[in-house]
Amino acid sequence: MELFDTATVLTRVLTSGVVMSIEKSDRELPGLERLLTKRTGRAKAALFNSRTGALHGALAGQGLGHGDTVSVPHTDRESLAFLAWLGLTAEPGGPAAYDYVELTPENADRLPEFAAEATAPVLVVDLTGLGFGPAAAVLTDSAEVWARAERLKIFGAYDLRTMWTQEEADAELVPGVQFNYRLSPLVAACARMALTHAVRPAATLGAHS
């Protein structure tokens, strides 16, 4: 994304006065969620402020946690270390617990293609490579998976409904502990603009001489 576009987006968000993720009037996070569900064909999107947070949400959303064994699509040291910290054992073979896509400015236009090839019940999209800070999303067609993933976040969708009344919306969804995984509206706005501008390069016309 051009520097002018970045400055325009940041100015828009800052002058709106809504720069914290717990503001009920925020439009940037829902805007990114809508764009991601549209591009991937998934019904629900949960945003996270890191790749590991999204991996946690993808697994917790499916009820996977300490003591479980999972098959994952990547085996880099950082991911395996994080899974071990969660008490999960990663083993090759078997259906993957989630599909994983890492977007960059060079491949962001292919998100619909990547999503169409995904077969797992959850798709994790890492937005960090777009260049605006750690960010990722959990995409799914399951309302239950989405609800569990959202409930993992402090000030997730469920907390924003209840924080003003102190009344629990769904006690069965309350996790043992929540994490500061909520994405900043500033990062969400920039990521959304980058995805909006992501267009596949036009094919070269004519024959080479």
Side-chain angles (χ1 to χ4, degrees), residues 35-44 111-112 115-116 123 125 139:
L35 178 59
L36 287 170
T37 55
K38 181 178 180 180
R39 292 282 176 90
T40 63
R42 303 305 195 271
K44 296 284 189 177
L111 178 57
L123 173 63
V125 178
L139 286 302

Side-chain angles (χ1 to χ4, degrees), residues 1-186:
M1 192 162 70
E2 299 293 334
L3 291 178
F4 175 79
D5 295 323
T6 304
T8 300
V9 170
L10 293 177
T11 300
R12 184 187 77 230
V13 176
L14 291 172
T15 56
S16 74
V18 182
V19 296
M20 295 181 65
S21 60
I22 62 172
E23 297 285 352
K24 294 197 293 184
S25 58
D26 167 56
R27 297 182 180 180
E28 304 302 339
L29 297 168
L32 179 56
E33 290 170 352
R34 286 192 298 270
L35 178 59
L36 287 170
T37 55
K38 181 178 180 180
R39 292 282 176 90
T40 63
R42 303 305 195 271
K44 296 284 189 177
L47 301 176
F48 290 80
N49 63 6
S50 65
R51 179 182 69 127
T52 50
L55 298 184
H56 193 178
L59 294 167
Q62 298 176 78
L64 297 170
H66 191 277
D68 290 323
T69 298
V70 296
S71 177
V72 294
H74 47 241
T75 55
D76 58 277
R77 184 175 61 181
E78 292 80 7
S79 296
L80 293 179
F82 181 68
L83 294 179
W85 182 79
L86 293 175
L88 289 152
T89 300
E91 291 186 356
Y98 54 83
D99 286 304
Y100 176 78
V101 173
E102 184 175 352
L103 294 185
T104 66
E106 291 72 32
N107 71 359
D109 62 293
R110 298 181 60 195
L111 178 57
E113 176 186 337
F114 296 143
E117 295 172 350
T119 58
V122 177
L123 173 63
V124 174
V125 178
D126 187 355
L127 304 167
T128 305
L130 296 176
F132 302 102
V138 171
L139 286 302
T140 181
D141 287 324
S142 169
E144 183 178 12
V145 169
W146 171 82
R148 287 177 176 171
E150 274 290 330
R151 205 63 181 87
L152 191 64
K153 300 186 293 185
I154 296 175
F155 298 127
Y158 281 78
D159 284 343
L160 291 180
R161 296 174 189 171
T162 62
M163 66 184 294
W164 309 111
T165 63
Q166 299 299 308
E167 296 178 0
E168 181 55 56
D170 193 338
E172 294 183 359
L173 284 176
V174 180
V177 62
Q178 289 180 293
F179 296 81
N180 186 18
Y181 285 154
R182 188 145 174 94
L183 184 63
S184 160
L186 286 169

